[in-house]
């Protein structure tokens, strides 16, 4: 049978290491992820689609990173309705016919070139079109 001295290094190792093992990982608070970038596009009577970030209009052209939320904001006044509908492929869900103060958002997750227009009579023919390039 081993002497008590033979257990001494093992016993001391357990006494020292067990409290350290119980501590586990890092207890520092985690920061929430940064918000996804977003872009706004205005819908304005007499103008149509206008990029709030680079001021392009008819077509409004925006280049965004995958994961970006794009929001169309109906800044038009009065009762004239407009909408946002994808044209061609790739596609994204469109909005209803909306007027002043409304908003419609979509988060683009897949790279590609997305074309859109207002499908109200004569609106696209008058230049109410836009493009979102997702990289």
């Amino acid at each position: 049978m081993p002497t008590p001295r033979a257990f001494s290094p093992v016993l001391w190792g357990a006494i020292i290491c067990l409290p350290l093992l119980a501590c586990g990982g890092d207890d520092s608070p985690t920061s929430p992820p940064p918000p996804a970038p977003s872009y706004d596009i205005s819908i304005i009577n007499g103008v149509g689609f206008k990029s709030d970030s680079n001021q392009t209009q008819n077509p409004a052209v925006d280049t965004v990173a995958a994961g970006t939320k794009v929001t169309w904001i109906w800044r038009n006044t009065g009762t004239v309705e407009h909408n946002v509908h994808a044209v061609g492929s790739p596609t994204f869900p469109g909005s209803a016919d909306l007027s002043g103060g409304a908003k419609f958002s979509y988060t683009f997750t897949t790279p590609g070139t997305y074309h859109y227009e207002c499908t109200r009579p004569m609106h696209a023919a008058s230049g109410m079109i836009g493009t979102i390039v997702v990289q």
Side-chain angles (χ1 to χ4, degrees):
M1 177 176 226
T3 65
R5 289 181 100 189
F7 290 111
S8 183
V10 174
L11 185 58
W12 281 112
I15 290 171
I16 292 171
C17 289
L18 281 177
L20 294 174
L21 292 174
C23 290
D26 184 10
D27 286 338
S28 62
T30 57
S31 299
S38 64
Y39 281 80
D40 292 343
I41 299 170
S42 294
I43 299 174
I44 306 168
N45 285 345
V47 173
F49 295 120
K50 182 176 181 180
S51 169
D52 289 0
S53 64
N54 63 29
Q55 305 306 304
T56 57
Q57 63 188 42
N58 299 334
V61 180
D62 286 282
T63 300
V64 301
T68 299
K69 179 169 109 174
V70 175
T71 301
W72 288 264
I73 303 170
W74 277 248
R75 299 188 197 279
N76 60 313
T77 57
T79 59
V80 176
E81 292 183 329
H82 300 286
N83 59 47
V84 176
H85 280 277
V87 178
S89 181
T91 189
F92 62 95
S95 75
D97 291 346
L98 301 167
S99 60
K103 292 181 181 183
F104 168 73
S105 296
Y106 180 74
T107 300
F108 289 88
T109 58
T110 304
T113 300
Y114 297 80
H115 299 283
Y116 62 92
E117 67 183 21
C118 177
T119 61
R120 301 288 295 167
M122 300 304 297
H123 289 205
S126 299
M128 199 167 178
I129 59 175
T131 301
I132 305 290
V133 178
V134 180
Q135 297 179 332

